[in-house]
């Protein structure tokens, strides 16, 4: 059973890294912005797109982190506290991020939000 749980945690990490590469990995971590600033180049306007995982869940990076953090073959009290606190932090981050995405993309993001589940890949009831 420990191997199954450890594999699930590994799958969570694969989801995280794959999801960052599906969008602009360098822009996500601010490297693209820094490079453009160094060479005095303007940033292009962001384009809303939903590659692969983003068609099933709005926040696959957070889903991957939650999966990786909670799928622990040995759940110590410290790891439980870590998983609980980071999950709460992720939910707060989702609220703030979605507010910013609505501000940036408007109705396009609102429609996406209506049809795609936040974290768990199931079809939303409409």
């Amino acid at each position: 059973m420990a191997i199954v749980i450890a594999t699930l945690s590994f799958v969570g990490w694969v989801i995280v890294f794959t999801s960052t590469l599906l969008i602009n990995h360098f822009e996500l971590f601010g490297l693209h912005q820094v490079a453009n600033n160094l060479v005095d180049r303007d940033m292009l306007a962001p384009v809303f797109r939903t590659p692969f995982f983003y068609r099933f869940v709005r926040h696959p990076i957070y889903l991957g982190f939650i999966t990786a953090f909670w799928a622990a073959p040995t759940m110590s009290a410290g790891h439980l506290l870590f998983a609980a606190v980071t999950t709460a932090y992720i939910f707060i981050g989702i609220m703030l991020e979605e507010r910013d995405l609505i501000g940036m993309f408007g109705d396009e993001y609102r429609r996406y939000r209506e049809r795609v589940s936040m974290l768990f890949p199931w079809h939303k009831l409409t």
Side-chain angles (χ1 to χ4, degrees):
M1 190 55 139
I3 291 172
V4 171
I5 294 171
T7 302
L8 183 60
S9 179
F10 177 74
V11 167
W13 287 111
V14 168
I15 291 170
V16 168
F17 294 117
T18 304
S19 298
T20 65
L21 293 172
L22 289 171
I23 55 178
N24 188 334
H25 183 81
F26 300 105
E27 186 175 342
L28 178 66
F29 294 107
L31 300 174
H32 191 74
Q33 294 89 326
V34 169
N36 279 346
N37 190 38
L38 286 174
V39 295
D40 200 29
R41 188 180 319 152
D42 291 332
M43 287 291 298
L44 297 174
V47 176
F48 183 73
R49 53 193 192 89
T50 57
F52 193 51
F53 290 139
Y54 292 87
R55 292 184 191 137
F56 307 105
V57 292
R58 295 192 311 266
H59 303 284
I61 296 171
Y62 298 141
L63 171 62
F65 277 129
I66 289 170
T67 302
F69 295 159
W70 282 98
T74 305
M75 182 64 78
S76 66
H79 189 95
L80 178 63
L81 178 64
F82 170 76
V85 170
T86 55
T87 301
Y89 183 79
I90 285 170
F91 278 99
I92 292 167
I94 287 172
M95 288 182 346
L96 297 172
E97 182 178 356
E98 291 212 330
R99 181 193 65 194
D100 292 345
L101 289 168
I102 288 171
M104 193 178 310
F105 298 110
D107 288 337
E108 187 176 17
Y109 190 79
R110 283 187 189 93
R111 285 189 299 274
Y112 174 65
R113 205 166 112 165
E114 288 173 5
R115 77 175 185 276
V116 176
S117 175
M118 181 172 68
L119 277 177
F120 301 104
W122 56 57
H123 182 67
K124 288 188 74 167
L125 300 174
T126 55

